[in-house]
Amino acid sequence: MKFDKKTLGIALFLLFMTGIFSIKGYDSPIYKNATITVLALLALYTFLHLEKIKNEHIRFRKFIWGLILIPFLGFIPAYILHGQGIGMSIISAHIHVGYFIFFFLFITKIREQEVLKIFCLFGICWSAIEIIQQFTYPTYWFATRYETDDRGIEIRNGIYRFAVYGVNFGLILLFYCFEKFMQIKRRSYLVGMLIALIGIYLLATRQIIVMSAVCLFAGLFIMKKISIGNFMFLGIFSIIIYLNANSLFGDFIEITKEVDEDYIRFLAYEFYGITYNKGSVLAFLLGNGTPKFPSEYFQEIINYQEYYGLYRDDVGLIGIYSLYGIVYVIMIIWFYWYVFRNRKYLSPYLQMYVLYMAGTSVMLLHFGTHLTTIVTGSFILYLIEKNIARNKSTKTN
């Protein structure tokens, strides 16, 4: 892969803003302050080029502005319902400025194919990290869940769970290589699929593994490649990867039983969807706002997490509703509806990715809440926007 200076710069920017695959120490105060500075410069740069953005035909313009502004309105319920200071709420919502990256990509005029190349390259790197660290443990360099004196690295299905950030890259790699392989049957695309599948398996997150398989089978229908041969190929390929992953790594990895967390997740749905709002119309519309240390609201949420296991991050759209309200959730539903309505103008690999987002949205967060989610999401939204525009133009001509 060859990159020009602009593409290389944007690739390095994406790598930095997503924590360099969650390299150990990336969450230090120095890094966090650096990202705040970058976000401030990004917002300033975008405002200085508003005229250029206005001249662009951008379908997601209002949607992006909603993703940026609505979380900042959370200072109202956070103050009225939880007594959190207005300044603290606004500071805690600063990460949503990251959606300006979407406009920044329009300003730089980076091509859709260049963004795709970056994602595929990062997908290979992410999978390689997941594979290598299975063999090097207890030495590891990338993780969001560190080993401490009183807690070891979690093991699920015999796999060390480092929770390295980058599954979004791996999924784009998987779906793109699958699309191309169904069209061309080139060996390099098959290798790309294999690398991505191993990375996703080693992530050891059930909903992602299952939904990835569902999306691959759905891809056959999307591309109208429905045949017994293709079904058998995909079925056998998936079974081989699943059955051999443990044997490939079994000699190196401790085998333990997986903990079933479904019950506590159900309780979290009910708590953050109904109980926590206590019937407040304000919380229903705008959510409860983003908690900020060291407020009582922040400590309250930490207590619910640590003592009761009720995590907002585990309940997807319900968690987003609890934070930003029904208005924010309606915007997300609009996004899925818009993409579905324009699916014939969207390349199969992106249709599969949006299907993955929709299918896992009840458990995973795909919008807001975390800087890495916002940054990567901005790039994904740019890919979708440019892809629809290009394919509409091609079909019209």
Side-chain angles (χ1 to χ4, degrees):
M1 293 184 179
K2 293 182 178 179
F3 296 110
D4 57 29
K5 291 181 179 180
K6 178 172 66 177
T7 305
L8 180 60
I10 290 177
L12 293 174
F13 169 75
L14 173 60
L15 189 62
F16 173 76
M17 293 299 286
T18 52
I20 313 175
F21 298 109
S22 53
I23 191 169
K24 288 172 69 174
Y26 81 98
D27 52 353
S28 66
I30 295 175
Y31 173 77
K32 290 180 180 178
N33 290 334
T35 57
I36 292 173
T37 302
V38 172
L39 290 176
L41 292 173
L42 176 68
L44 177 61
Y45 185 82
T46 305
F47 278 112
L48 291 175
H49 292 81
L50 278 180
E51 285 301 319
K52 186 180 289 187
I53 294 172
K54 288 179 182 178
N55 293 330
E56 295 278 353
H57 177 59
I58 302 176
R59 294 167 176 80
F60 290 151
R61 187 192 307 274
K62 292 181 180 178
F63 177 60
I64 297 296
W65 277 110
L67 293 178
I68 294 170
L69 296 176
I70 289 176
F72 282 96
L73 296 178
F75 79 85
I76 302 173
Y79 177 74
I80 294 175
L81 302 177
H82 304 287
Q84 179 170 277
I86 294 175
M88 296 179 73
S89 296
I90 292 175
I91 291 172
S92 66
H94 80 276
I95 59 172
H96 297 274
V97 170
Y99 278 116
F100 276 127
I101 291 171
F102 176 84
F103 295 129
F104 174 74
L105 295 173
F106 271 96
I107 295 170
T108 59
K109 296 188 181 298
I110 185 171
R111 293 187 297 115
E112 171 195 343
Q113 199 63 26
E114 296 301 307
V115 174
L116 179 58
K117 282 164 59 177
I118 293 171
F119 267 67
C120 287
L121 175 61
F122 284 3
I124 293 171
C125 294
W126 170 77
S127 296
I129 290 169
E130 286 282 4
I131 294 169
I132 292 169
Q133 291 193 155
Q134 297 295 323
F135 295 98
T136 62
Y137 182 80
T139 300
Y140 61 96
W141 304 272
F142 303 89
T144 57
R145 303 176 182 181
Y146 301 145
E147 190 170 47
T148 62
D149 292 336
D150 58 348
R151 184 189 66 189
I153 290 290
E154 180 188 355
I155 305 174
R156 177 180 290 182
N157 280 355
I159 294 169
Y160 292 115
R161 300 192 71 201
F162 300 101
V164 176
Y165 182 78
V167 67
N168 313 74
F169 306 134
L171 287 164
I172 290 292
L173 174 67
L174 173 63
F175 297 147
Y176 178 73
C177 287
F178 178 71
E179 175 189 337
K180 301 304 289 185
F181 183 74
M182 287 293 110
Q183 296 170 348
I184 303 175
K185 296 292 190 295
R186 187 177 294 170
R187 187 180 301 172
S188 58
Y189 294 127
L190 184 61
V191 172
M193 285 176 57
L194 176 62
I195 292 172
L197 280 170
I198 293 175
I200 291 167
Y201 179 82
L202 293 178
L203 186 65
T205 303
R206 290 170 298 172
Q207 56 265 35
I208 295 178
I209 294 172
V210 171
M211 200 61 205
S212 298
V214 169
C215 290
L216 290 178
F217 279 101
L220 295 178
F221 292 90
I222 292 171
M223 292 182 282
K224 299 179 180 179
K225 298 287 185 179
I226 307 168
S227 68
I228 294 176
N230 282 337
F231 265 98
M232 288 182 64
F233 161 76
L234 191 56
I236 292 171
F237 190 69
S238 301
I239 291 171
I240 289 174
I241 294 299
Y242 182 80
L243 293 180
N244 282 278
N246 264 341
S247 62
L248 286 171
F249 305 110
D251 293 336
F252 300 89
I253 305 170
E254 178 184 353
I255 304 297
T256 61
K257 293 183 178 180
E258 180 179 331
V259 177
D260 188 354
E261 300 172 347
D262 293 339
Y263 179 69
I264 195 67
R265 191 187 296 269
F266 176 78
L267 292 179
Y269 281 124
E270 190 281 330
F271 181 76
Y272 288 114
I274 301 174
T275 303
Y276 190 64
N277 281 358
K278 300 175 183 177
S280 169
V281 175
L282 183 59
F284 173 75
L285 293 174
L286 296 178
N288 293 276
T290 309
K292 173 68 175 173
F293 177 83
S295 70
E296 291 184 7
Y297 174 36
F298 177 88
Q299 192 57 53
E300 180 184 359
I301 295 299
I302 292 297
N303 290 339
Y304 285 129
Q305 293 178 169
E306 293 183 351
Y307 295 107
Y308 301 103
L310 301 172
Y311 288 84
R312 275 173 169 165
D313 287 5
D314 286 347
V315 289
L317 278 177
I318 296 299
I320 290 176
Y321 160 73
S322 179
L323 282 167
Y324 313 130
I326 194 65
V327 176
Y328 198 91
V329 172
I330 289 173
M331 284 200 318
I332 295 174
I333 294 172
W334 172 86
F335 163 76
Y336 289 128
W337 172 81
Y338 179 84
V339 172
F340 177 77
R341 193 183 66 175
N342 290 276
R343 64 191 182 280
K344 65 181 179 180
Y345 302 115
L346 199 62
S347 295
Y349 82 94
L350 285 174
Q351 289 190 51
M352 286 186 278
Y353 187 85
V354 175
L355 176 62
Y356 155 78
M357 291 174 65
T360 57
S361 62
V362 295
M363 295 169 284
L364 303 178
L365 302 172
H366 300 296
F367 294 92
T369 68
H370 301 293
L371 182 59
T372 50
T373 304
I374 290 170
V375 172
T376 309
S378 297
F379 279 82
I380 295 291
L381 289 171
Y382 181 78
L383 278 175
I384 294 171
E385 171 90 31
K386 298 296 284 187
N387 195 261
I388 290 176
R390 176 172 57 82
N391 290 331
K392 267 193 174 184
S393 176
T394 301
K395 291 191 177 185
T396 301
N397 292 336

